[in-house]
Amino acid sequence: MTVVVESKRSMPGGVTDWHRLRQVLLAMVVGLRQMLVGYWVVMIAAFLFGGIAIQLATSGVDHSMWDYGSASPKYFSLALGVTLGPAYVALLVAQGVTRRMISVAAGIYLTGSAASTALLWVLVYQFEHLLYRSQGWSQTLSNPHVFTSPTQVGLIFAEFFLQILSHEATGWLLGITFFRLGFWRGVLLLPLSFVPAVAGELLVVAQWFAEALKNNGYHRPPLAVGAPSVLVVSALGVYVGYLILRPMALKPAKG
């Protein structure tokens, strides 16, 4: 068995760990920018403007169109997390970046992308609210949420940030386990990989999954309990991904 032990590599004069971390983060931001921003643009065009146009052309506007897409960021963010490890690990390790630094950068990037997407959802809900109010339309929410009104900015941000972050952590684990261990062992570790996403669903309880849980007698815990719990489980998910990644050689040992 080949075990790779990370050691501190010497770096050129004036290059610090912080400088290198910033460069790794920049590589992730630039490399995944088209994927993330493209998703935002498609969602705004399809669910907001396209959806309102369809309602106007049929029975009239009586529901929040933006709310119909409220489950989408979870699944997109899971795909973003899956992409991150395989896309960057081998490339950056070959450049002398440690697996630990890659994992730290991944945690920072995923947190930032979760916050950015949650903020986008807040802003579009507010834009839609102003538009609907100016036209006298009803902005009825189609899905159960932590919030009850599109004007509850803090609760909107909390719901989407927590759910997106937990699904990103699951995506990170999925990408790392399949990339590092191969298909069959990745399949065997699916229950581990999905722990952050399941925790996000059970502790936040929103959108389509909320109805299924409610029908089975499950009720949302207080957000003061659920929010820190989701953050801890998501952070542990990124850390477990690092532990799986740490002994990986650039090329699998033969024989």
Side-chain angles (χ1 to χ4, degrees):
M1 179 181 293
T2 301
V3 178
V4 178
V5 179
E6 290 188 321
S7 60
K8 186 176 180 64
R9 296 170 172 80
S10 59
M11 291 182 285
V15 179
T16 63
D17 282 340
W18 170 240
H19 174 79
R20 180 166 287 192
L21 177 61
R22 287 175 57 193
Q23 294 302 112
V24 173
L25 275 170
L26 181 62
M28 291 178 177
V29 170
V30 172
L32 295 171
R33 180 175 54 196
Q34 288 183 326
M35 182 178 179
L36 186 60
V37 176
Y39 166 75
W40 294 344
V41 171
V42 168
M43 286 300 297
I44 292 173
F47 277 92
L48 182 62
F49 297 113
I52 291 175
I54 291 172
Q55 283 199 92
L56 286 172
T58 55
S59 58
V61 180
D62 60 356
H63 280 78
S64 166
M65 286 307 304
W66 191 238
D67 198 55
Y68 281 118
S70 59
S72 172
K74 296 187 298 186
Y75 308 122
F76 168 79
S77 298
L78 189 147
L80 186 70
V82 168
T83 303
L84 194 57
Y88 285 97
V89 169
L91 174 64
L92 292 174
V93 170
Q95 300 298 318
V97 180
T98 65
R99 293 152 183 80
R100 179 173 58 188
M101 183 173 288
I102 293 170
S103 301
V104 170
I108 295 171
Y109 174 79
L110 293 175
T111 302
S113 65
S116 300
T117 303
L119 180 61
L120 175 71
W121 246 256
V122 170
L123 293 175
V124 178
Y125 268 123
Q126 305 319 301
F127 172 80
E128 187 186 58
H129 176 71
L130 293 175
L131 175 63
Y132 276 45
R133 188 174 65 178
S134 69
Q135 298 298 316
W137 298 336
S138 174
Q139 194 185 14
T140 304
L141 299 177
S142 306
N143 297 298
H145 292 285
V146 172
F147 55 94
T148 57
S149 168
T151 59
Q152 294 174 311
V153 171
L155 291 177
I156 296 173
F157 182 86
E159 176 185 318
F160 283 93
F161 175 73
L162 293 171
Q163 293 228 313
I164 290 169
L165 185 65
S166 62
H167 282 74
E168 284 178 338
T170 280
W172 164 255
L173 275 172
L174 287 170
I176 292 300
T177 52
F178 279 89
F179 178 63
R180 162 76 176 87
L181 302 172
F183 177 79
W184 291 113
R185 283 183 287 181
V187 170
L188 290 175
L189 287 173
L190 283 176
L192 171 67
S193 298
F194 274 98
V195 166
V198 172
E201 296 287 4
L202 293 177
L203 293 168
V204 178
V205 189
Q207 299 149 25
W208 69 268
F209 198 56
E211 286 294 338
L213 291 175
K214 183 179 178 181
N215 292 337
N216 285 280
Y218 181 85
H219 299 285
R220 179 191 302 117
L223 195 59
V225 174
S229 299
V230 172
L231 295 177
V232 169
V233 173
S234 299
L236 287 174
V238 174
Y239 180 67
V240 170
Y242 160 66
L243 294 180
I244 295 171
L245 185 65
R246 185 169 58 180
M248 186 190 78
L250 282 181
K251 293 183 179 179
K254 296 182 179 179

